[in-house]
């Protein structure tokens, strides 16, 4: 089954302005992301942007869809692309972040396949084990818990679940359970995507600043599964950018 990949790319990043155009070993970051996506099983890869500089940088690496400049999130930009293209309600769209130049194509396929296979879910996403207590207690690392069928129960910036007795003894010891970091890749059914952007922001979403909580608050089911391959971190800061450049240059 084919699916669409949409890469929202906003030039005006608050922490790293011009991030989609950042040079990574001779190519703009957005081009490296698009090239990774093109190696997945997607029927079409699209870059969604409101900035002509990003459009021009993409060139022939992917189809570019120009969108409005007032979207509050990448999900809203994704929905506009689906509406512009007239996609069917049952079509699957995968949202790949524009700052993930090392994203494995296999996990793009995985999240699309998982949504296709779980018809009772409206969204799908991925996770990976947390092995370091510093990550567990880092509010910038989103955590997720899910049931035996892979349905998300909750996402939080807090360390969930809370090992009551274990953490009372030693918060550095993670041997008493299993914790999962949420990986920010999503697959949506288009019909659900249209409904999602029409819902008001939910109180829990506002509290945690996590958009996926809007879906849970409105009774939607989100499928969660461990990623089949490690997913390297993206580029959010100047330090991340320097590290990525060293990696692509073969230095580290």
């Amino acid at each position: 089954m084919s699916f669409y990949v949409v890469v929202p790319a906003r030039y005006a990043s608050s922490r790293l302005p011009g991030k989609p155009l950042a040079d990574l070993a001779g190519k703009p970051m957005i081009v490296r992301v698009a090239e990774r996506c093109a190696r997945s099983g997607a029927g079409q890869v699209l870059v969604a942007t409101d900035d002509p500089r990003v459009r021009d940088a993409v060139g022939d690496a992917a189809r570019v869809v120009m969108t409005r400049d007032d979207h509050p999130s990448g999900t809203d930009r994704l929905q506009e692309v689906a509406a512009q293209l007239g996609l069917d309600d049952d079509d699957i769209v995968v949202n790949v972040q524009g700052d993930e130049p090392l994203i494995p194509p296999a996990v793009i396929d995985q999240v699309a396949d998982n949504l296709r296979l779980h018809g009772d879910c409206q969204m799908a996403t991925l996770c990976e084990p947390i092995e370091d207590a510093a990550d567990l207690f880092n509010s910038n690392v989103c955590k997720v818990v899910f049931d035996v069928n892979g349905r998300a129960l909750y996402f939080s910036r807090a360390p969930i679940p809370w090992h009551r007795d274990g953490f009372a003894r030693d918060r550095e010891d993670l041997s008493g359970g299993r914790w999962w970091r949420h990986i920010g890749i999503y697959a949506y059914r288009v019909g659900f995507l249209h409904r999602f952007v029409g819902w008001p922001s939910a109180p829990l979403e506002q509290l945690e600043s996590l958009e996926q909580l809007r879906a849970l608050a409105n009774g939607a089911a989100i499928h969660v599964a461990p990623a089949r391959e490690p997913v390297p971190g993206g580029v959010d800061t100047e330090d991340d950018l320097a590290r990525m450049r060293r990696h692509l240059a073969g230095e580290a």
Side-chain angles (χ1 to χ4, degrees):
M1 176 183 176
S2 186
F3 58 92
Y4 298 85
V5 168
V6 178
V7 185
R10 191 169 63 94
Y11 184 89
S13 169
S14 57
R15 284 188 286 184
L16 201 59
K19 181 165 61 172
L21 307 189
D23 182 82
L24 293 177
K27 295 181 180 180
M29 185 186 310
I30 188 62
V31 170
R32 291 207 172 266
V33 175
E35 289 175 345
R36 285 276 179 160
C37 294
R39 290 163 52 189
S40 74
Q44 191 167 174
V45 176
L46 307 110
V47 172
T49 187
D50 57 9
D51 197 296
R53 290 168 291 187
V54 176
R55 176 197 62 203
D56 295 345
V58 172
D60 296 330
R63 177 180 174 183
V64 176
V65 178
M66 298 301 294
T67 58
R68 302 196 316 270
D69 61 3
D70 60 348
H71 287 304
S73 73
T75 307
D76 295 271
R77 201 175 301 279
L78 197 77
Q79 184 272 337
E80 185 188 348
V81 171
Q84 281 197 39
L85 298 182
L87 301 186
D88 293 337
D89 283 353
D90 290 335
D91 284 339
I92 290 175
V93 176
V94 176
N95 184 346
V96 174
Q97 301 297 321
D99 57 7
E100 297 274 0
L102 297 180
I103 188 164
V107 304
I108 300 174
D109 293 340
Q110 180 187 5
V111 74
D113 288 343
N114 287 350
L115 184 58
R116 176 178 59 84
L117 293 170
H118 294 84
D120 58 336
C121 294
Q122 292 77 47
M123 293 173 57
T125 191
L126 301 174
C127 64
E128 65 183 8
I130 294 176
E131 309 289 355
D132 188 334
D135 289 335
L136 181 62
F137 288 90
N138 183 348
S139 62
N140 292 318
V141 176
C142 179
K143 277 69 69 172
V144 61
V145 291
F146 46 93
D147 68 17
V148 296
N149 297 311
R151 282 190 175 206
L153 296 172
Y154 195 64
F155 298 84
S156 183
R157 297 183 181 279
I160 55 173
W162 184 263
H163 188 190
R164 189 192 66 172
D165 296 334
F167 289 161
R169 295 189 300 269
D170 182 3
R171 291 194 182 187
E172 298 295 317
D173 182 8
L174 302 189
S175 62
R178 174 57 67 89
W179 289 267
W180 298 96
R181 179 181 83 87
H182 174 230
I183 297 170
I185 183 172
Y186 297 98
Y188 301 89
R189 299 185 195 281
V190 168
F192 171 74
L193 190 59
H194 292 322
R195 296 195 300 275
F196 179 87
V197 300
W199 292 332
S201 180
L204 287 173
E205 173 189 1
Q206 297 173 26
L207 188 67
E208 297 247 23
S209 191
L210 294 174
E211 192 180 42
Q212 61 270 38
L213 292 177
R214 189 190 318 174
L216 294 185
N218 284 277
I222 304 175
H223 185 268
V224 184
R228 62 173 56 138
E229 290 187 18
V231 179
V235 176
D236 289 320
T237 65
E238 289 285 356
D239 287 343
D240 293 337
L241 183 59
R243 184 176 63 252
M244 189 67 67
R245 284 170 170 161
R246 290 194 301 271
H247 175 84
L248 291 170
E251 299 173 18

